[in-house]
Amino acid sequence: MSERRGLVLGGGGVTGIAWETGLLLGLREAGVDLTTADLVVGTSAGSLVGAQVTTGCSLDELYGYQLRPPRPGRPAAIGPRVLAGFAWHLARSRGDLEEFGRRLGGWSEARADAGRTPTLEARYDAVRERLPVLEWPADGRLVVTAVDARTGALRCFSGADGVPLLDAVAASCAVPGVYPPVPIEGRRYVDGGARSGSNADLAASCSRVAAITPVDRAVGPLRTAGEHLRGVRHRVVSPDDTSRQAIGRNVLDPANRAASARAGRMQAESVAEELGRLWGTS
């Protein structure tokens, strides 16, 4: 096994982005800079944070953005209808992970085609606003995950295939039933979280892995980051009680961004020593 360090950034909505940003900043302030990872795997919210930190964006500036008041408007939500859709397709997939992805993908396409999600243009605008740099990192260390809406298969984007970073991140953030699938090369893709909240197994070739996971649950065929990383030296960090309270019940509500970012930064203090040993900085 190569002596590489991996950073896994999982999904968790708007508040997950804020919490991950605050945590990474707090850890860097404590002397543990996880953004120096040799491999960064980003899923959904984590794909955006991963793209930001690997393209040279300042953690201080990213954190400052999270503290800004949100724009007026009704926030998106993973409401009862969407949760019911997830549960229905999970039950019908009978433990088959790709079948679950196919069902979620088809359902997401139907909702988007019926006008029950924001437009694709609106989603691109939202993602573009958060990506100051639209080019893939030159070192090739970023992997962004998405799921093919028709086959349910995982696709990993890294820039080597010519897919623009904006397209890859927009696809990874396309929460089924909430946001429209993203077309890439004649196919449509949904959130990488349709396969796993972290897809941490993609970092299993590393010798040490830090997994930052706002939402890390094993449901049906979906597996936690810890389950994906068995046999690998790793540490999974998920929101503590204070962070969960700050994040609130709607992970897509930007009104909770600032509190989530502050909570992540504060939580860093409690995990810095252990992560420092893992990362080799203490």
Side-chain angles (χ1 to χ4, degrees), residues 170-192:
S172 190
C173 293
V175 180
V178 178
Y179 300 128
V182 172
I184 297 175
E185 299 175 338
R187 307 195 69 81
R188 296 169 91 181
Y189 291 88
V190 296
D191 197 310

Side-chain angles (χ1 to χ4, degrees), residues 8 20 57 82 94 97 113 136 145 165 172 178 185 190 264 280:
V8 172
E20 289 181 6
C57 297
V82 173
R94 301 180 183 276
L97 191 56
D113 293 343
W136 286 91
T145 67
L165 178 61
S172 190
V178 178
E185 299 175 338
V190 296

Side-chain angles (χ1 to χ4, degrees), residues 20 29 36 43 90 105-106 110 133 139 147 151 156 215 223 233 268:
E20 289 181 6
E29 291 170 334
T36 60
T43 293
L90 184 65
V133 180
D139 53 20
V147 168
T151 68
C156 300
V215 180
R223 295 291 173 260
R233 187 182 175 194

Side-chain angles (χ1 to χ4, degrees), residues 134-136 155-168 184-185:
L134 295 177
E135 300 297 326
W136 286 91
R155 179 163 179 183
C156 300
F157 301 100
S158 65
D161 50 13
V163 173
L165 178 61
L166 178 62
D167 288 353
I184 297 175
E185 299 175 338

Side-chain angles (χ1 to χ4, degrees), residues 65 68 71 124-132 166 257:
Y65 175 88
R68 295 177 192 170
R71 293 178 179 177
Y124 268 98
D125 287 344
V127 175
R128 188 181 292 110
E129 179 186 349
R130 293 162 176 78
L131 283 180
L166 178 62
R257 276 192 334 216

